[in-house]
Amino acid sequence: KHLEGDGHATSTAPIQLKYDQHQLTFHIRSNERANAPAVRYAYRIPDLDTTWTDAGREERITMAHLIPGDHTFQVRARKGDGPWGPISEARFIIAPPYWATWWFRALIVLLVAGIITLIFQWRLALRTQKMEVRFAREQALSEERLRIASDLHDELGSGLSVIKVKSQLALERPATNPANEVLQQVASSSSELIDSMRQIIWTIRSGQSSLKDLVAYMRSYAVGYLADHEVACSFGVDEVLQDRQLTVEQRRALLLILKEALHNVVKHARASRVTITVSDTDQLRLRIADDGVGISSGNGTGPAHGVGLKSMERRALSIGGVLVIEQMDGTTISVVVPLTSERTGPNVPYGNSKGTDTFA
């Protein structure tokens, strides 16, 4: 930048520099060309330093390491030891780097505020999720308590009432109610109550929640129950069975469906053999087949009339399954329950197509 002085201040357009252009050289020339060697100069940038710097007779002044901002370079001259002349000025502007601009700082503030908001929302969502999980657990526990209370009332309450009535009849009318017969009925009812209690306890035990445990319990129950009524039982695993984890509702529903089906076989089918198979691919299938007389509306066990069949259908629906009844050379009841991966553990094979046990 050239500055020329004739005794009056010079007004020039501002010099625009980028933030990395922080060095500026000014060339100074006096109008007093004849006496130029005797002219001395002084300069300053008031907003950076208010003191004047003596440049001597140097007409080339370089300013380095200038900071961003709107600056004014001032220079004055004098002849020999005479007074200083008027000030000549040159305005220059050094633009700040983008990270020092107001819009960049505002963007950083917005970004930090956004991150803080996201963290707050994430923590709030996490806390809400934990509360929902806790609420679901408490609700499931409450429902489980109600279910256990209902089971105790249905299974044990009626049985205890029967024992009480029979005992009172034996005490009030011993002649018409022989003691041995009453005691045998009481013992039978007590045995049924014990079995019911064991089944209720088994279904709620967390240590026996796998499909493998359920199949083992079903096998033991079916064989013992049918043997007491002189019916042969064939129980097996039709295909490779996965070691899945089942919920309390699934275990309870499947076990009660099996009990109801076997009860119907003993009470109505007049069958000599029952074949039970369990298979598991992408869904669980429980199949109970007998060689009895089949289901008819005349014996009160048809789909339109049978309370037991409706109960089995309702239990299958409660766990997302379906109950299928087929009649051909007896009756076949199949329960198909889809098992999602969310409810399953490692798929460890258990059993095979040849793993069928026959009990007579």
Side-chain angles (χ1 to χ4, degrees):
K1 182 68 179 178
H2 293 273
L3 291 179
E4 295 184 4
D6 57 357
H8 300 283
T10 304
S11 177
T12 59
I15 305 170
Q16 300 288 339
L17 301 175
K18 297 180 181 180
Y19 72 90
D20 55 347
Q21 296 175 323
H22 45 71
Q23 180 170 306
L24 189 61
T25 299
F26 293 92
H27 297 273
I28 308 169
R29 186 177 61 187
S30 172
N31 290 334
E32 301 290 339
R33 303 303 299 170
N35 300 319
V39 176
R40 300 179 63 85
Y41 303 98
Y43 67 89
R44 69 178 181 179
I45 301 178
D47 58 317
L48 299 181
D49 189 0
T50 58
T51 61
W52 290 90
T53 301
D54 188 1
R57 297 176 181 177
E58 181 64 43
E59 295 184 345
R60 179 186 176 94
I61 300 173
T62 300
M63 311 293 295
H65 305 291
L66 297 171
I67 63 175
D70 189 344
H71 307 292
T72 300
F73 177 80
Q74 296 179 340
V75 64
R76 63 184 181 178
R78 69 177 179 177
K79 297 178 181 179
D81 295 331
W84 290 100
I87 298 174
S88 296
E89 296 181 344
R91 182 182 170 202
F92 63 96
I93 300 174
I94 301 178
Y98 69 89
W99 58 83
T101 58
W102 68 267
W103 59 265
F104 184 81
R105 293 175 179 175
L107 182 62
I108 293 297
V109 171
L110 291 177
L111 182 61
V112 172
I115 293 174
I116 294 175
T117 301
L118 288 177
I119 293 176
F120 176 78
Q121 291 179 346
W122 172 75
R123 295 190 63 179
L124 181 61
L126 185 62
R127 181 177 301 178
T128 302
Q129 183 180 11
K130 289 181 178 180
M131 292 179 64
E132 290 177 351
V133 171
R134 183 181 302 174
F135 176 76
R137 288 178 179 175
E138 292 177 355
Q139 187 175 16
L141 181 59
S142 178
E143 292 175 354
E144 183 65 15
R145 288 171 177 170
L146 291 175
R147 187 190 63 78
I148 294 173
S150 177
D151 288 346
L152 292 174
H153 178 270
D154 296 341
E155 299 286 343
L156 303 184
S158 59
L160 292 174
S161 297
V162 170
I163 293 176
K164 178 181 178 181
V165 170
K166 291 180 179 180
S167 301
Q168 288 178 344
L169 288 175
L171 293 174
E172 294 173 359
R173 291 178 288 178
T176 58
N177 297 278
N180 290 338
E181 180 180 351
V182 173
L183 290 176
Q184 185 176 1
Q185 294 175 354
V186 170
S188 177
S189 298
S190 301
S191 179
E192 293 177 358
L193 288 177
I194 293 173
D195 291 339
S196 297
M197 178 65 76
R198 288 175 177 172
Q199 291 161 15
I200 292 173
I201 294 174
W202 184 87
T203 56
I204 63 177
R205 291 180 63 181
S206 59
Q208 297 176 330
S209 59
S210 69
L211 180 57
K212 178 180 176 180
D213 294 326
L214 177 63
V215 170
Y217 191 86
M218 283 182 168
R219 188 197 306 262
S220 175
Y221 174 81
V223 171
Y225 180 79
L226 293 176
D228 291 340
H229 294 86
E230 300 180 351
V231 178
C233 176
S234 177
F235 195 110
V237 179
D238 187 49
E239 297 177 359
V240 174
L241 192 65
Q242 308 297 331
D243 191 16
R244 301 180 184 271
Q245 298 298 313
L246 303 179
T247 65
V248 174
E249 292 78 9
Q250 289 173 330
R251 300 201 310 270
R252 178 174 178 271
L254 291 170
L255 181 58
L256 292 179
I257 289 172
L258 175 69
K259 288 181 59 179
E260 186 66 34
L262 296 183
H263 175 75
N264 288 341
V265 169
V266 172
K267 187 175 181 181
H268 304 291
R270 299 196 294 274
S272 61
R273 175 174 292 277
V274 175
T275 301
I276 304 172
T277 58
V278 179
S279 61
D280 172 30
T281 51
D282 58 339
Q283 57 188 9
L284 174 63
R285 181 183 296 271
L286 171 63
R287 184 174 179 271
I288 307 165
D290 66 73
D291 60 355
V293 298
I295 299 175
S296 64
S297 58
N299 60 17
T301 59
H305 306 284
V307 176
L309 293 178
K310 290 186 178 298
S311 175
M312 286 190 287
E313 290 176 352
R314 186 172 62 254
R315 295 188 190 282
L317 288 174
S318 70
I319 56 174
V322 61
L323 186 76
V324 179
I325 302 175
E326 302 172 298
Q327 294 192 71
M328 186 175 63
D329 299 329
T331 302
T332 300
I333 296 177
S334 299
V335 184
V336 181
V337 180
L339 297 176
T340 63
S341 59
E342 296 178 357
R343 297 176 179 265
T344 62
N347 292 330
V348 181
Y350 169 71
N352 51 58
S353 59
K354 299 180 181 179
T356 301
D357 298 331
T358 303
F359 303 88

